[in-house]
Amino acid sequence: MKAVARRVQGYANEVEVDGHHVITDEPRESGGNDEGPSPTRLLTASLASCTATTVEMYADRKGWELGAVEVEAEVTSAERGEPTRYAVDVRIPAPLT
């Protein structure tokens, strides 16, 4: 897999991945035009969706019906000298033993 980001203007980029196109940009308060999610927000969304897909794939292999799985990912941006932290919360409504 390869992703290519091409600058559109300012902080906006058109990102191409496997024939799909996504626009990323920074919020207005960070100097962008808010034309799309920022790269950091897109990374957080990717973490949430990748986790949800992985849970569903595992459940499918096991023959489990999970219902409407929900995954919430939250990022805490790094302060000077500290790492960026991601928290992931997986909610599975189906009762499992």
Side-chain angles (χ1 to χ4, degrees):
M1 178 193 55
K2 178 170 77 172
V4 178
R6 293 180 184 91
R7 182 171 181 247
V8 177
Q9 67 178 18
Y11 296 132
N13 285 276
E14 179 181 18
V15 182
E16 182 181 352
V17 180
D18 294 335
H20 300 281
H21 298 264
V22 178
I23 297 294
T24 63
D25 198 1
E26 291 294 325
R28 292 186 194 287
E29 61 269 13
S30 296
N33 288 319
D34 203 23
E35 297 292 325
S38 70
T40 303
R41 285 171 172 76
L42 195 57
L43 178 61
T44 306
S46 293
L47 177 59
S49 61
C50 183
T51 302
T53 299
T54 301
V55 168
E56 289 292 340
M57 289 174 138
Y58 185 82
D60 284 348
R61 284 197 304 272
K62 294 292 187 177
W64 300 340
E65 177 52 50
L66 300 180
V69 171
E70 183 174 292
V71 177
E72 180 178 303
E74 184 174 5
V75 63
T76 303
S77 296
E79 297 291 328
R80 182 166 286 220
E82 295 292 321
T84 297
R85 298 186 187 279
Y86 288 87
V88 179
D89 185 25
V90 180
R91 290 185 279 282
I92 301 172
L96 300 174
T97 58

Coordinates of all heavy atoms in Angstrom, one line a residue:
M1 N 0.8 -1.2 0.0 CA 0.0 0.0 0.0 C 0.9 1.2 0.0 O 1.9 1.2 0.6 CB -0.9 0.0 1.2 CG -1.8 1.2 1.3 SD -2.6 1.6 2.8 CE -1.3 1.6 4.0
K2 N 0.4 2.3 -0.7 CA 1.2 3.5 -0.7 C 0.1 4.6 -0.7 O -0.9 4.6 -1.3 CB 2.0 3.6 -2.0 CG 2.7 4.9 -2.2 CD 3.7 4.8 -3.4 CE 3.0 5.0 -4.7 NZ 3.9 5.1 -5.8
A3 N 0.5 5.7 0.1 CA -0.3 6.9 0.1 C 0.5 8.0 -0.4 O 1.7 8.1 -0.1 CB -0.8 7.1 1.5
V4 N -0.1 8.9 -1.2 CA 0.5 10.1 -1.7 C -0.3 11.3 -1.3 O -1.5 11.4 -1.6 CB 0.7 10.0 -3.2 CG1 1.4 11.3 -3.8 CG2 1.5 8.8 -3.6
A5 N 0.4 12.3 -0.7 CA -0.2 13.6 -0.3 C 0.3 14.6 -1.3 O 1.5 14.8 -1.4 CB 0.1 13.9 1.1
R6 N -0.7 15.4 -1.9 CA -0.3 16.5 -2.8 C -0.9 17.8 -2.3 O -2.1 17.8 -2.1 CB -0.8 16.2 -4.2 CG -0.1 15.0 -4.8 CD -0.7 14.7 -6.2 NE -0.1 13.6 -6.8 CZ -0.6 12.3 -6.7 NH1 -1.7 12.1 -6.0 NH2 0.0 11.3 -7.3
R7 N -0.1 18.7 -2.1 CA -0.5 20.0 -1.6 C -1.5 20.6 -2.5 O -1.3 20.7 -3.7 CB 0.6 21.0 -1.3 CG 0.2 22.3 -0.8 CD 1.5 23.1 -0.4 NE 1.0 24.4 0.2 CZ 1.2 25.6 -0.3 NH1 1.8 25.6 -1.5 NH2 0.8 26.6 0.3
V8 N -2.7 21.1 -2.0 CA -3.7 21.8 -2.8 C -3.4 23.3 -2.6 O -3.2 24.0 -3.6 CB -5.1 21.4 -2.3 CG1 -6.1 22.2 -3.0 CG2 -5.3 19.9 -2.4
Q9 N -3.5 23.8 -1.4 CA -3.1 25.2 -1.0 C -3.1 25.3 0.5 O -3.7 24.5 1.2 CB -4.2 26.1 -1.6 CG -5.5 26.0 -0.9 CD -6.5 27.1 -1.5 OE1 -6.3 27.6 -2.6 NE2 -7.6 27.3 -0.8
G10 N -2.3 26.2 1.0 CA -2.1 26.4 2.4 C -1.7 25.1 3.0 O -0.7 24.4 2.6
Y11 N -2.5 24.6 4.0 CA -2.2 23.3 4.7 C -3.0 22.2 4.1 O -2.9 21.1 4.6 CB -2.4 23.5 6.2 CG -1.5 24.4 6.9 CD1 -2.0 25.4 7.8 CD2 -0.1 24.4 6.6 CE1 -1.1 26.3 8.4 CE2 0.7 25.3 7.2 CZ 0.3 26.2 8.1 OH 1.1 27.1 8.7
A12 N -3.8 22.5 3.1 CA -4.7 21.4 2.6 C -3.9 20.5 1.6 O -3.1 21.0 0.9 CB -5.9 22.1 1.8
N13 N -4.2 19.2 1.7 CA -3.6 18.2 0.9 C -4.6 17.3 0.4 O -5.6 17.0 1.1 CB -2.5 17.4 1.6 CG -1.3 18.2 1.9 OD1 -0.4 18.2 1.0 ND2 -1.2 18.8 3.1
E14 N -4.4 16.8 -0.9 CA -5.3 15.7 -1.4 C -4.4 14.5 -1.2 O -3.3 14.4 -1.7 CB -5.6 15.9 -2.9 CG -6.4 14.8 -3.4 CD -6.8 14.9 -4.9 OE1 -6.1 15.7 -5.6 OE2 -7.7 14.2 -5.3
V15 N -5.0 13.5 -0.5 CA -4.3 12.3 -0.2 C -4.9 11.2 -1.0 O -6.2 11.0 -1.0 CB -4.4 11.9 1.3 CG1 -3.6 10.7 1.6 CG2 -3.8 13.1 2.1
E16 N -4.1 10.5 -1.8 CA -4.6 9.3 -2.6 C -4.1 8.0 -2.0 O -2.9 7.9 -1.7 CB -4.1 9.5 -4.0 CG -4.6 8.4 -4.9 CD -4.1 8.5 -6.3 OE1 -3.5 9.5 -6.7 OE2 -4.3 7.6 -7.1
V17 N -5.0 7.1 -1.8 CA -4.7 5.8 -1.3 C -5.5 4.8 -2.1 O -6.8 4.8 -2.0 CB -5.0 5.6 0.2 CG1 -4.7 4.2 0.7 CG2 -4.3 6.7 1.1
D18 N -4.9 3.9 -2.8 CA -5.5 2.9 -3.6 C -6.7 3.4 -4.4 O -7.8 2.8 -4.4 CB -6.0 1.7 -2.6 CG -4.9 1.0 -2.0 OD1 -3.8 1.0 -2.6 OD2 -5.1 0.4 -0.9
G19 N -6.5 4.5 -5.0 CA -7.6 5.1 -5.9 C -8.6 5.9 -5.2 O -9.5 6.5 -5.8
H20 N -8.5 6.0 -3.8 CA -9.5 6.8 -3.0 C -8.8 8.1 -2.7 O -7.6 8.2 -2.6 CB -9.8 6.1 -1.7 CG -10.5 4.8 -1.9 ND1 -11.8 4.7 -2.2 CD2 -10.0 3.5 -1.8 CE1 -12.1 3.4 -2.3 NE2 -11.0 2.7 -2.1
H21 N -9.6 9.2 -2.7 CA -9.0 10.5 -2.4 C -9.7 11.1 -1.2 O -10.9 11.1 -1.0 CB -9.3 11.4 -3.6 CG -8.6 10.9 -4.9 ND1 -7.4 11.4 -5.3 CD2 -9.0 10.0 -5.8 CE1 -7.1 10.7 -6.4 NE2 -8.0 9.9 -6.7
V22 N -8.8 11.7 -0.3 CA -9.3 12.3 0.9 C -8.6 13.7 1.0 O -7.4 13.8 0.7 CB -8.9 11.5 2.1 CG1 -9.3 12.2 3.4 CG2 -9.5 10.1 2.1
I23 N -9.3 14.7 1.4 CA -8.7 16.0 1.6 C -8.4 16.2 3.1 O -9.3 15.9 3.9 CB -9.7 17.2 1.2 CG1 -9.9 17.1 -0.3 CG2 -9.1 18.5 1.6 CD1 -8.7 17.4 -1.2
T24 N -7.2 16.6 3.4 CA -6.9 16.9 4.8 C -6.5 18.4 4.9 O -6.1 19.0 3.9 CB -5.6 16.1 5.3 OG1 -4.5 16.4 4.5 CG2 -5.9 14.6 5.2
D25 N -6.8 19.0 6.0 CA -6.5 20.4 6.2 C -6.4 20.6 7.7 O -6.8 19.8 8.5 CB -7.6 21.2 5.6 CG -7.1 22.7 5.4 OD1 -6.0 23.1 5.7 OD2 -8.0 23.5 4.8
E26 N -5.9 21.7 8.1 CA -5.9 22.1 9.5 C -7.1 23.0 9.8 O -7.6 23.7 8.9 CB -4.6 22.9 9.8 CG -3.4 22.1 9.8 CD -3.3 21.0 10.9 OE1 -3.8 21.3 12.0 OE2 -2.8 19.9 10.6
P27 N -7.6 23.0 11.0 CA -8.7 23.9 11.4 C -8.3 25.4 11.2 O -7.1 25.7 11.2 CB -8.9 23.6 12.9 CG -8.1 22.4 13.2 CD -7.1 22.3 12.2
R28 N -9.2 26.2 11.1 CA -9.0 27.7 10.9 C -8.1 28.3 12.0 O -7.2 29.1 11.8 CB -10.3 28.4 10.8 CG -11.1 28.1 9.6 CD -12.3 29.0 9.4 NE -13.2 28.5 8.4 CZ -13.0 28.5 7.1 NH1 -11.9 29.1 6.6 NH2 -13.9 28.0 6.2
E29 N -8.3 27.8 13.3 CA -7.6 28.4 14.4 C -6.1 28.0 14.3 O -5.3 28.5 15.0 CB -8.2 28.0 15.7 CG -8.3 26.6 16.0 CD -9.6 25.9 15.6 OE1 -10.3 26.5 14.8 OE2 -9.8 24.8 16.0
S30 N -5.8 27.0 13.5 CA -4.4 26.6 13.3 C -3.8 27.1 12.0 O -2.7 26.6 11.6 CB -4.3 25.0 13.4 OG -4.7 24.6 14.6
G31 N -4.5 27.9 11.3 CA -4.0 28.5 10.0 C -4.5 27.8 8.8 O -4.1 28.3 7.7
G32 N -5.4 26.8 8.9 CA -5.9 26.2 7.7 C -7.3 26.7 7.3 O -7.7 27.7 7.9
N33 N -7.9 26.1 6.4 CA -9.2 26.5 5.9 C -10.3 25.5 6.3 O -11.5 25.6 5.9 CB -9.3 26.7 4.4 CG -8.6 27.9 4.0 OD1 -8.7 29.0 4.7 ND2 -7.8 27.9 3.0
D34 N -9.9 24.4 7.1 CA -10.9 23.4 7.6 C -11.6 22.7 6.5 O -12.8 22.5 6.6 CB -11.8 24.0 8.6 CG -12.4 23.0 9.6 OD1 -11.8 21.9 9.8 OD2 -13.5 23.2 10.1
E35 N -10.9 22.4 5.4 CA -11.5 21.8 4.2 C -11.7 20.3 4.4 O -12.3 19.6 3.6 CB -10.6 22.0 3.0 CG -10.5 23.5 2.6 CD -11.8 24.0 2.0 OE1 -12.6 23.3 1.4 OE2 -12.1 25.2 2.3
G36 N -11.1 19.7 5.5 CA -11.2 18.3 5.8 C -10.5 18.1 7.1 O -10.0 19.0 7.8
P37 N -10.5 16.8 7.6 CA -9.9 16.6 8.9 C -8.4 16.8 8.8 O -7.8 16.6 7.8 CB -10.2 15.1 9.2 CG -10.5 14.5 7.8 CD -11.0 15.6 7.0
S38 N -7.9 17.2 10.0 CA -6.4 17.4 10.0 C -5.8 16.0 10.0 O -6.4 15.0 10.3 CB -6.0 18.1 11.3 OG -6.2 17.3 12.4
P39 N -4.5 15.9 9.6 CA -3.8 14.6 9.6 C -3.9 13.9 11.0 O -4.1 12.7 11.0 CB -2.4 14.9 9.2 CG -2.5 16.2 8.4 CD -3.6 16.9 9.0
T40 N -3.8 14.6 12.1 CA -3.9 14.0 13.4 C -5.3 13.5 13.6 O -5.4 12.4 14.2 CB -3.5 15.0 14.5 OG1 -2.2 15.5 14.2 CG2 -3.6 14.4 15.9
R41 N -6.3 14.2 13.2 CA -7.7 13.7 13.4 C -7.9 12.5 12.5 O -8.6 11.5 12.9 CB -8.7 14.8 13.1 CG -8.7 15.8 14.2 CD -9.5 17.1 13.8 NE -9.8 17.9 15.0 CZ -8.9 18.8 15.5 NH1 -7.6 18.8 15.0 NH2 -9.1 19.5 16.5
L42 N -7.3 12.5 11.3 CA -7.5 11.4 10.4 C -6.8 10.1 11.0 O -7.3 9.0 10.9 CB -6.9 11.7 9.0 CG -7.3 10.8 7.9 CD1 -8.8 10.7 7.7 CD2 -6.7 11.4 6.6
L43 N -5.6 10.3 11.6 CA -4.9 9.2 12.3 C -5.8 8.6 13.4 O -5.9 7.4 13.5 CB -3.6 9.7 12.8 CG -2.7 8.7 13.5 CD1 -2.4 7.5 12.6 CD2 -1.5 9.3 14.1
T44 N -6.4 9.5 14.2 CA -7.3 9.0 15.3 C -8.5 8.3 14.7 O -8.8 7.2 15.2 CB -7.7 10.2 16.1 OG1 -6.5 11.0 16.6 CG2 -8.5 9.8 17.4
A45 N -9.1 8.8 13.6 CA -10.2 8.1 13.0 C -9.7 6.7 12.4 O -10.5 5.8 12.5 CB -10.8 9.0 11.9
S46 N -8.5 6.7 11.9 CA -8.0 5.4 11.4 C -7.8 4.4 12.5 O -8.1 3.2 12.3 CB -6.7 5.7 10.6 OG -6.9 6.4 9.5
L47 N -7.3 4.9 13.6 CA -7.2 4.0 14.8 C -8.5 3.4 15.2 O -8.7 2.2 15.4 CB -6.5 4.7 15.9 CG -6.3 3.9 17.2 CD1 -5.5 2.7 17.0 CD2 -5.7 4.8 18.3
A48 N -9.5 4.2 15.3 CA -10.9 3.8 15.7 C -11.5 2.8 14.7 O -12.0 1.7 15.1 CB -11.8 5.0 15.9
S49 N -11.4 3.1 13.4 CA -12.0 2.3 12.4 C -11.2 1.0 12.2 O -11.8 -0.1 12.0 CB -12.1 3.0 11.1 OG -10.9 3.4 10.6
C50 N -9.9 1.0 12.3 CA -9.1 -0.2 12.2 C -9.4 -1.1 13.4 O -9.5 -2.4 13.2 CB -7.6 0.2 12.2 SG -6.5 -1.2 12.0
T51 N -9.5 -0.6 14.6 CA -9.9 -1.4 15.7 C -11.2 -2.0 15.6 O -11.4 -3.2 15.8 CB -9.8 -0.6 17.0 OG1 -8.5 0.0 17.2 CG2 -10.1 -1.4 18.3
A52 N -12.2 -1.3 15.1 CA -13.6 -1.8 14.9 C -13.5 -2.9 13.9 O -14.2 -4.0 14.1 CB -14.5 -0.7 14.5
T53 N -12.8 -2.7 12.8 CA -12.8 -3.7 11.7 C -12.1 -5.0 12.2 O -12.5 -6.1 11.9 CB -12.0 -3.1 10.5 OG1 -12.7 -2.0 10.0 CG2 -11.9 -4.2 9.4
T54 N -11.0 -4.8 13.0 CA -10.3 -6.0 13.5 C -11.2 -6.8 14.5 O -11.2 -8.0 14.4 CB -9.0 -5.6 14.3 OG1 -8.2 -4.9 13.3 CG2 -8.3 -6.7 14.8
V55 N -12.0 -6.1 15.3 CA -12.9 -6.8 16.2 C -13.9 -7.6 15.4 O -14.2 -8.7 15.7 CB -13.5 -5.8 17.2 CG1 -14.7 -6.4 17.9 CG2 -12.5 -5.3 18.2
E56 N -14.5 -6.9 14.4 CA -15.5 -7.6 13.6 C -14.9 -8.8 12.8 O -15.6 -9.8 12.7 CB -16.1 -6.6 12.6 CG -17.0 -5.5 13.2 CD -18.3 -6.1 13.7 OE1 -18.7 -7.2 13.3 OE2 -18.9 -5.5 14.6
M57 N -13.7 -8.7 12.3 CA -13.1 -9.8 11.5 C -12.9 -11.0 12.5 O -13.1 -12.1 12.1 CB -11.8 -9.4 10.9 CG -11.9 -8.4 9.7 SD -10.3 -7.8 9.2 CE -10.5 -7.9 7.4
Y58 N -12.4 -10.7 13.7 CA -12.2 -11.8 14.7 C -13.5 -12.4 15.0 O -13.6 -13.7 15.1 CB -11.5 -11.2 15.9 CG -11.1 -12.3 16.9 CD1 -10.0 -13.0 16.8 CD2 -11.9 -12.5 18.0 CE1 -9.6 -14.0 17.7 CE2 -11.6 -13.5 18.9 CZ -10.4 -14.2 18.7 OH -10.1 -15.2 19.6
A59 N -14.5 -11.6 15.3 CA -15.9 -12.2 15.6 C -16.4 -13.0 14.5 O -17.0 -14.1 14.7 CB -16.8 -11.1 16.0
D60 N -16.2 -12.6 13.2 CA -16.7 -13.3 12.1 C -16.0 -14.7 12.0 O -16.7 -15.7 11.8 CB -16.4 -12.6 10.8 CG -17.4 -11.5 10.5 OD1 -18.4 -11.4 11.2 OD2 -17.1 -10.6 9.6
R61 N -14.7 -14.8 12.3 CA -14.0 -16.0 12.3 C -14.5 -17.0 13.4 O -14.5 -18.2 13.2 CB -12.5 -15.8 12.4 CG -11.9 -15.3 11.1 CD -10.4 -15.5 11.2 NE -9.7 -14.8 12.3 CZ -9.3 -13.6 12.3 NH1 -9.5 -12.8 11.2 NH2 -8.6 -13.1 13.3
K62 N -14.9 -16.4 14.5 CA -15.4 -17.2 15.6 C -16.9 -17.5 15.5 O -17.5 -18.3 16.3 CB -15.2 -16.5 16.9 CG -13.7 -16.3 17.3 CD -13.1 -17.6 17.6 CE -11.7 -17.5 18.1 NZ -11.1 -18.8 18.5
G63 N -17.6 -16.9 14.5 CA -19.0 -17.1 14.4 C -19.9 -16.3 15.4 O -21.0 -16.7 15.7
W64 N -19.3 -15.3 16.0 CA -20.0 -14.5 17.0 C -20.8 -13.3 16.3 O -20.2 -12.6 15.5 CB -19.0 -13.9 18.0 CG -18.2 -14.9 18.7 CD1 -18.5 -16.2 18.9 CD2 -17.0 -14.6 19.4 NE1 -17.5 -16.8 19.7 CE2 -16.6 -15.8 20.0 CE3 -16.2 -13.5 19.6 CZ2 -15.4 -15.9 20.8 CZ3 -15.1 -13.6 20.3 CH2 -14.7 -14.8 20.9
E65 N -22.0 -13.0 16.7 CA -22.7 -11.9 16.3 C -22.6 -10.8 17.4 O -23.0 -11.1 18.6 CB -24.2 -12.2 16.1 CG -25.0 -11.0 15.7 CD -24.5 -10.2 14.6 OE1 -24.1 -10.8 13.5 OE2 -24.3 -8.9 14.7
L66 N -21.9 -9.7 17.1 CA -21.6 -8.7 18.2 C -22.6 -7.6 18.2 O -22.6 -6.8 19.2 CB -20.2 -8.1 17.9 CG -19.1 -9.1 18.0 CD1 -17.8 -8.4 17.8 CD2 -19.1 -9.9 19.3
G67 N -23.4 -7.4 17.2 CA -24.3 -6.2 17.1 C -23.5 -5.0 16.7 O -22.5 -5.1 16.0
A68 N -24.0 -3.8 17.1 CA -23.4 -2.6 16.7 C -22.2 -2.2 17.5 O -22.3 -1.5 18.5 CB -24.4 -1.5 16.7
V69 N -21.0 -2.7 17.1 CA -19.8 -2.4 17.8 C -19.5 -1.0 17.7 O -19.7 -0.4 16.6 CB -18.6 -3.3 17.3 CG1 -17.3 -2.9 17.8 CG2 -18.9 -4.8 17.5
E70 N -19.0 -0.3 18.7 CA -18.6 1.1 18.7 C -17.2 1.2 19.3 O -16.9 0.6 20.3 CB -19.6 1.9 19.5 CG -19.3 3.4 19.4 CD -20.3 4.2 20.1 OE1 -21.5 4.3 19.5 OE2 -20.0 4.8 21.1
V71 N -16.3 1.9 18.6 CA -15.0 2.1 19.0 C -14.7 3.6 19.1 O -15.0 4.3 18.1 CB -13.9 1.4 18.1 CG1 -12.5 1.8 18.6 CG2 -14.1 -0.1 18.1
E72 N -14.3 4.1 20.2 CA -14.0 5.5 20.4 C -12.5 5.6 20.6 O -11.9 5.0 21.5 CB -14.7 6.1 21.6 CG -14.5 7.5 21.9 CD -15.3 8.0 23.1 OE1 -16.5 7.9 23.1 OE2 -14.6 8.5 24.1
A73 N -11.8 6.4 19.8 CA -10.4 6.7 20.0 C -10.2 8.2 20.3 O -10.9 9.0 19.7 CB -9.6 6.4 18.7
E74 N -9.4 8.4 21.3 CA -9.1 9.8 21.7 C -7.6 10.1 21.8 O -6.9 9.2 22.3 CB -9.8 10.1 23.1 CG -9.7 11.5 23.5 CD -10.5 11.7 24.8 OE1 -11.1 10.7 25.4 OE2 -10.6 12.9 25.2
V75 N -7.2 11.2 21.3 CA -5.8 11.6 21.4 C -5.6 12.7 22.4 O -6.4 13.6 22.5 CB -5.2 11.9 20.0 CG1 -5.9 13.2 19.4 CG2 -3.8 12.1 20.0
T76 N -4.5 12.6 23.1 CA -4.0 13.7 24.0 C -2.7 14.1 23.4 O -1.7 13.3 23.4 CB -3.9 13.2 25.4 OG1 -5.1 12.7 25.9 CG2 -3.4 14.3 26.3
S77 N -2.7 15.3 22.9 CA -1.5 15.8 22.2 C -0.3 15.9 23.2 O -0.5 16.2 24.4 CB -1.7 17.1 21.5 OG -2.7 17.0 20.5
A78 N 0.9 15.7 22.7 CA 2.1 15.8 23.5 C 2.4 17.2 24.0 O 2.1 18.2 23.3 CB 3.3 15.3 22.6
E79 N 2.8 17.2 25.2 CA 3.3 18.4 25.8 C 4.9 18.3 25.6 O 5.4 17.2 25.4 CB 3.0 18.6 27.2 CG 1.5 18.7 27.5 CD 0.9 20.0 27.0 OE1 1.6 21.0 27.1 OE2 -0.3 20.0 26.6
R80 N 5.6 19.4 25.8 CA 7.0 19.3 25.6 C 7.6 18.2 26.5 O 7.3 18.2 27.7 CB 7.6 20.7 26.0 CG 9.1 20.7 25.8 CD 9.6 22.1 25.8 NE 9.2 22.7 24.5 CZ 10.0 23.5 23.8 NH1 11.1 23.9 24.3 NH2 9.6 24.0 22.7
G81 N 8.3 17.3 25.9 CA 9.0 16.3 26.7 C 8.1 15.1 27.0 O 8.5 14.1 27.7
E82 N 6.8 15.1 26.6 CA 5.9 14.0 26.9 C 5.4 13.4 25.5 O 5.3 14.1 24.5 CB 4.7 14.6 27.6 CG 5.0 15.1 29.0 CD 5.4 14.0 30.0 OE1 4.8 12.9 29.9 OE2 6.3 14.2 30.8
P83 N 5.1 12.1 25.5 CA 4.6 11.5 24.3 C 3.1 11.8 24.1 O 2.4 12.2 25.0 CB 4.8 10.0 24.6 CG 4.6 9.9 26.1 CD 5.2 11.2 26.6
T84 N 2.7 11.8 22.8 CA 1.3 11.8 22.5 C 0.7 10.5 22.9 O 1.3 9.5 22.8 CB 1.1 12.0 20.9 OG1 1.7 13.2 20.6 CG2 -0.3 12.0 20.5
R85 N -0.5 10.6 23.5 CA -1.2 9.4 24.0 C -2.5 9.2 23.3 O -3.3 10.1 23.1 CB -1.4 9.5 25.5 CG -0.1 9.7 26.3 CD -0.4 9.6 27.8 NE 0.8 9.9 28.5 CZ 1.8 9.0 28.8 NH1 1.6 7.8 28.4 NH2 2.8 9.4 29.5
Y86 N -2.8 7.9 23.0 CA -4.1 7.5 22.4 C -4.8 6.6 23.4 O -4.2 5.7 23.9 CB -3.8 6.8 21.1 CG -3.4 7.7 20.0 CD1 -2.0 8.0 19.8 CD2 -4.3 8.3 19.1 CE1 -1.6 8.8 18.8 CE2 -3.9 9.1 18.1 CZ -2.5 9.4 18.0 OH -2.1 10.3 17.0
A87 N -6.1 6.8 23.6 CA -6.9 5.9 24.4 C -8.0 5.4 23.4 O -8.6 6.1 22.6 CB -7.6 6.7 25.5
V88 N -8.2 4.0 23.5 CA -9.2 3.4 22.7 C -10.2 2.7 23.6 O -9.8 1.9 24.5 CB -8.5 2.4 21.8 CG1 -9.6 1.7 20.9 CG2 -7.5 3.1 20.9
D89 N -11.5 2.9 23.4 CA -12.6 2.3 24.2 C -13.4 1.5 23.2 O -14.0 2.1 22.2 CB -13.4 3.4 24.9 CG -14.5 2.8 25.8 OD1 -14.3 1.7 26.2 OD2 -15.5 3.5 26.0
V90 N -13.5 0.2 23.4 CA -14.3 -0.7 22.5 C -15.6 -1.1 23.3 O -15.6 -1.6 24.4 CB -13.5 -2.0 22.2 CG1 -14.4 -2.9 21.3 CG2 -12.2 -1.6 21.5
R91 N -16.8 -0.8 22.6 CA -18.0 -1.2 23.2 C -18.7 -2.2 22.4 O -19.0 -2.0 21.2 CB -18.9 0.1 23.4 CG -18.4 1.0 24.4 CD -19.3 2.2 24.7 NE -19.1 3.3 23.7 CZ -18.2 4.2 23.7 NH1 -17.2 4.1 24.6 NH2 -18.1 5.1 22.8
I92 N -19.0 -3.3 23.0 CA -19.7 -4.5 22.3 C -21.0 -4.7 23.0 O -21.0 -5.1 24.2 CB -18.8 -5.7 22.3 CG1 -17.4 -5.4 21.6 CG2 -19.5 -6.9 21.6 CD1 -16.4 -6.5 21.8
P93 N -22.1 -4.5 22.3 CA -23.4 -4.6 23.0 C -23.9 -6.0 23.3 O -24.6 -6.2 24.2 CB -24.4 -3.8 22.1 CG -23.7 -3.9 20.7 CD -22.2 -4.0 21.0
A94 N -23.4 -7.0 22.5 CA -23.9 -8.3 22.6 C -23.3 -9.0 23.9 O -22.1 -8.8 24.2 CB -23.5 -9.2 21.4
P95 N -24.1 -9.7 24.7 CA -23.5 -10.4 25.8 C -22.7 -11.6 25.4 O -23.2 -12.4 24.6 CB -24.8 -10.8 26.6 CG -25.9 -10.9 25.6 CD -25.5 -9.8 24.5
L96 N -21.5 -11.6 25.8 CA -20.6 -12.7 25.5 C -20.2 -13.5 26.8 O -20.0 -12.9 27.8 CB -19.3 -12.2 24.7 CG -19.6 -11.5 23.4 CD1 -18.3 -10.9 22.9 CD2 -20.2 -12.4 22.4
T97 N -20.0 -14.8 26.6 CA -19.5 -15.5 27.8 C -18.0 -15.8 27.7 O -17.4 -15.6 26.6 CB -20.2 -16.9 27.8 OG1 -19.9 -17.6 26.6 CG2 -21.7 -16.7 28.0

